[in-house]
């Protein structure tokens, strides 16, 4: 079983933009938002993905992600529960770690979240200057819940 261990933080300033080594445009939706198992469809630039995530404990949860044809992802996005999320992802390398910073658009404009995947729950890491309050485990910041209660 694949396990993802991820920390999630609110972002306090836009210094990540200058530090970014790569950006991607992402459109994603959810076929299932059940807290025990979410099913996400994502179109990142010109690639499609389907991801199944299980309920986890703390920062760790089971995750299975597979690349699918972009045309399939576009069709599946039309089947997703509203809202479909649009965001720009910035990749920032900081002290040996790769941070993903998501700027949300549309109804979520102004929300910016940084995430860091780590190899173990006790892994120690340095926070970049743009990283603020940790929101790992706060369901309000799960991608599957963003925009649902607007």
């Amino acid at each position: 079983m694949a396990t993802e261990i991820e920390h999630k933080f609110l972002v306090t300033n836009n210094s990540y933009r200058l530090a970014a080594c790569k950006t991607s445009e992402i459109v994603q939706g959810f076929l299932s938002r059940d807290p025990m198992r979410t099913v996400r469809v994502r179109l990142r630039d010109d690639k499609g993905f389907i991801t199944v995530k299980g309920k986890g404990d703390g920062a760790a949860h089971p995750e299975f992600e597979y690349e699918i044809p972009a045309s399939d992802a576009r069709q599946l996005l039309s089947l997703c529960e509203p809202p479909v999320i649009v965001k720009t992802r910035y990749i920032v390398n900081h002290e040996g770690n790769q941070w993903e910073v998501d700027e949300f658009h549309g109804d979520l404009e102004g929300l910016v979240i940084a995430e860091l995947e780590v190899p173990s729950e006790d892994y120690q890491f340095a926070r970049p200057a743009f990283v603020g309050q940790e929101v790992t485990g706060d369901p309000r910041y799960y991608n599957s819940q963003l925009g649902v209660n607007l």
Side-chain angles (χ1 to χ4, degrees), residues 56-126:
D57 182 31
H61 55 267
E63 178 180 273
F64 304 89
E65 182 170 79
Y66 306 97
E67 188 169 344
I68 61 174
S71 59
D72 288 0
R74 285 184 196 92
Q75 289 180 355
L76 286 168
L77 282 166
S78 71
L79 300 175
C80 288
E81 301 173 26
V84 170
I85 296 171
V86 179
K87 60 188 180 180
T88 302
R89 172 164 291 166
Y90 296 80
I91 302 298
V92 177
N93 294 316
H94 180 75
E95 295 193 21
N97 294 299
Q98 186 175 82
W99 290 78
E100 296 177 342
V101 181
D102 291 340
E103 276 185 6
F104 293 85
H105 305 297
D107 289 341
L108 295 170
E109 193 74 37
L111 177 63
V112 184
I113 296 176
E115 297 178 348
L116 178 65
E117 275 192 47
V118 295
S120 65
E121 292 205 49
D122 60 351
Y123 181 79
Q124 299 295 310
F125 55 90

Side-chain angles (χ1 to χ4, degrees), residues 10-71:
L10 296 178
V11 171
T12 59
N13 65 64
N14 65 4
S15 63
Y16 60 89
R17 289 182 183 169
L18 292 174
C21 62
K22 181 181 176 186
T23 63
S24 294
E25 298 304 317
I26 297 174
V27 179
Q28 68 184 33
F30 290 85
L31 294 168
S32 170
R33 284 192 167 91
D34 182 317
M36 298 305 291
R37 69 201 62 74
T38 61
V39 181
R40 178 184 69 206
V41 176
R42 178 179 279 174
L43 190 62
R44 184 177 66 225
D45 298 325
D46 292 326
K47 293 186 176 187
F49 299 89
I50 191 159
T51 306
V52 178
K53 289 188 180 190
K55 183 161 177 56
D57 182 31
H61 55 267
E63 178 180 273
F64 304 89
E65 182 170 79
Y66 306 97
E67 188 169 344
I68 61 174
S71 59

